[in-house]
Amino acid sequence: MNRITSGRRGFIRTAVSFAALAAASATSAVQARAFPAKPLTLVVPFAPGGNVDIVARTLGIPLARHAGQSVIVDNRAGGGGAVGSGWVARAEPDGHTLLVATPGQLGTLPEMIKLPYRADSFAPIAVVSRTPVVVVVRANDARFKTAADFIKAMKAGMAA
């Protein structure tokens, strides 16, 4: 992670840039009026309380301040994120409804199952978070201190 996108300040810088990009993108005849003309909706395709929801709610604060409009976080969970993603794919293309997604909804799901959207139904405009995914074992399982220990145990047939 680089210095610009890491930490709270990096996140806020990204959010401010995101708001500026959204405001500057009003070029079509439909968007010729002031943008945003109504509250912005950040659709989170997962239940409230998870990582993506927390990122969206944190992003919504500076975004609302810079947009001069309310920002609504709308959780539309289901289907591994497909429900909320499909909802955004069918929303009016006026820039007021945004999807806060992970690569799973945009790249993986459309390749695995039939959905009401395709990977190219969306245009990415900002990366607002980089969240590591880790694999862990119970702290009191003394057999495993590293991934190599785990793989060695699996090969020996004792990891069951």
Side-chain angles (χ1 to χ4, degrees):
M1 224 180 307
N2 66 38
R3 211 176 98 223
I4 295 172
T5 58
S6 64
R8 184 172 182 266
R9 285 187 179 185
F11 182 83
I12 291 172
R13 274 190 214 108
T14 301
V16 169
S17 298
F18 179 67
L21 283 171
S25 69
T27 58
S28 73
V30 173
Q31 293 175 326
R33 64 186 181 272
F35 182 84
K38 60 184 180 181
L40 299 171
T41 300
L42 298 178
V43 176
V44 175
F46 301 105
N51 289 345
V52 178
D53 180 60
I54 292 167
V55 167
R57 290 177 191 283
T58 304
L59 173 64
I61 295 166
L63 187 58
R65 185 171 40 250
H66 292 286
Q69 285 284 352
S70 298
V71 173
I72 300 160
V73 176
D74 185 3
N75 296 85
R76 293 185 176 263
V83 171
S85 300
W87 193 83
V88 172
R90 293 184 302 272
E92 185 178 344
D94 62 2
H96 290 86
T97 305
L98 305 155
L99 178 64
V100 182
T102 67
Q105 293 78 62
L106 304 178
T108 307
L109 283 178
E111 296 300 319
M112 293 173 46
I113 58 176
K114 184 175 173 25
L115 295 169
Y117 66 91
R118 299 184 334 214
D120 64 359
S121 297
F122 305 102
I125 58 173
V127 174
V128 295
S129 175
R130 291 190 174 132
T131 304
V133 176
V134 299
V135 177
V136 300
V137 296
R138 290 183 53 167
N140 62 353
D141 193 341
R143 299 176 295 170
F144 312 120
K145 299 294 182 207
T146 67
D149 292 343
F150 184 78
I151 292 168
K152 182 179 175 183
M154 283 192 333
K155 287 179 179 178
M158 60 180 269

